Amino acid sequence: MSDASILKRLGEVIATRKGASPESSYVARLFSQGEDAILRKISEEATETVLASKAGDKLQVVRETADLWFHSLVLLAYHGLTPDDVLAELRRREGISGIEERASRQGPAAR
Ligand SMILES: N=c1c2ncn([C@@H]3O[C@H](COP(=O)(O)OP(=O)(O)OP(=O)(O)O)[C@@H](O)[C@H]3O)c2ncn1[C@@H]1O[C@H](COP(=O)(O)O)[C@@H](O)[C@H]1O
């Protein structure tokens, strides 16, 4: 099974939690608390990822990044989006240098 398929499966599970009982599901509880609660978790997990990196703790970097990705999937589902929407955007960018892309947005003077 490809690594991308775990994102797809997890996205599907998360979507099923909309309207599920907050008593039995962490994701349902987040949905019931609303957008700000989801955004707070993303902010928290991003900060924890930064701290793990600064501490040079690779295992913790992996764990915090997993938390960050997971909560980002919850935010996507909140907006009715799926991991496929983000994967399609990454595919669209594939092979386009960030430096070139930035210059094309800023016009010839920035090159
Ligand atoms: N991948 C995850 C996952 N990663 C992290 N978490 C939860 O996200 C929370 C992370 O928050 P913290 O690290 O800040 O821990 P905490 O202090 O306990 O959290 P808070 O009380 O502050 O919210 C923890 O409660 C973790 O258990 C996850 N919860 C669920 N999943 C997946 O989502 C599926 C659906 O989950 P439920 O909706 O709970 O059934 C599960 O089967 C898993 O596949």
Side-chain angles (χ1 to χ4, degrees), residues 10 13 17 25-27 41 44-45 67 70-71:
L10 189 49
V13 169
R17 297 304 197 253
S25 156
Y26 171 78
V27 177
K41 288 308 291 181
E44 242 178 74
E45 305 304 352
D67 281 348
F70 166 69
H71 286 92

Side-chain angles (χ1 to χ4, degrees), residues 35-105:
E35 184 183 17
D36 285 0
I38 300 169
L39 295 176
R40 257 194 313 277
K41 288 308 291 181
I42 289 182
S43 172
E44 242 178 74
E45 305 304 352
T47 300
E48 284 166 9
T49 304
V50 169
L51 293 176
S53 177
K54 294 303 282 181
D57 186 339
K58 291 187 186 184
L59 177 59
Q60 204 56 21
V61 168
V62 169
R63 287 177 172 166
E64 298 302 349
T65 301
D67 281 348
L68 183 56
W69 285 18
F70 166 69
H71 286 92
S72 298
L73 292 181
V74 175
L75 182 66
L76 287 175
Y78 174 86
H79 288 287
L81 296 165
T82 70
D84 270 353
D85 293 307
V86 177
L87 293 174
E89 175 62 14
L90 289 174
R91 255 193 310 276
R92 187 188 69 74
R93 297 180 190 181
E94 200 170 10
I96 303 171
S97 155
I99 291 172
E100 271 304 305
E101 187 276 333
R102 190 162 187 264
S104 73
R105 269 189 285 127

